[in-house]
Amino acid sequence: MESGSFFLFVGFSVGTFLCFFDRLYTYPKKTSSKVNLVCIGCVGIISSKVFHYILSEGNLFNFNGGYVFLGFLFPFIICWLFLKQRVGIEFFNVLSICIPFSHSIGRLGCFVNSCCKGDFNDLPVTLLEAFFLVCLTIFLLKKYKGKKEDLFFIYMTHYLIFRIFIEFFREDHIRGMILTIPASQFLSVLFLLIIFVKRK
């Protein structure tokens, strides 16, 4: 197994473990909810490959890299927009802990693969993003304790704003451009606007 696939596998495995980790839940535990979280994650991996294929004509069947993380988030955002009231806020609060921590592991794979790193003064943006994601996970965990806030909204706004900023340094043109704007930056702005409009 190559390094990129290895870190992706580890990140997804950790996220799956967290989804099934009983102490993470502050509401009556439902196995079906945990399975749904993992199923959406599997759809997210497929979505991330499809996004990469559309934006940069990447290879759909190359699993050692070639993913768009915002494509992974896309099915989760759709579910949050349309199913939040139905399935309950706790479902998405658990996601808000699992996703950023798993994502931080995946970014270590990007660093090892020397991809997604940008060319701005050799700035290790993948390590910087991994550090930010760990700090964000800790921040969300502290807010999670005994509170009923919409942590998915908090996670998305913090991460998307950070992603808009970090894209200025990544120079990751392999992910494609939309209207002369780096695709990931464009999608971050679009998703941010959507969740704010939906929030209101």
Side-chain angles (χ1 to χ4, degrees), residues 125-136:
V125 293
T126 48
L127 291 182
L128 180 62
E129 186 171 355
F131 176 74
F132 169 81
L133 288 165
V134 170
C135 291
L136 182 58

Side-chain angles (χ1 to χ4, degrees), residues 19-34 37 87-91 94 144 148:
C19 286
F20 282 84
F21 186 53
D22 289 345
R23 291 188 180 182
L24 190 58
Y25 291 76
T26 58
Y27 67 108
K29 298 173 286 295
K30 296 180 180 179
T31 301
S32 60
S33 293
K34 299 176 183 180
L37 289 173
V87 302
I89 196 174
E90 283 281 3
F91 180 88
V94 172
Y144 182 78
K148 294 292 183 181

Side-chain angles (χ1 to χ4, degrees), residues 107-122:
R107 282 303 180 213
L108 295 179
C110 294
F111 177 74
V112 172
N113 265 4
S114 297
C115 64
C116 314
K117 66 178 183 179
D119 300 317
F120 185 81
N121 292 333
D122 294 322

Side-chain angles (χ1 to χ4, degrees), residues 35-45 72 75-76 79 91-92 95:
V35 172
N36 288 339
L37 289 173
V38 177
C39 289
I40 300 173
C42 292
V43 173
I45 290 178
F72 175 79
F76 292 102
C79 290
F91 180 88
F92 295 98
L95 284 177

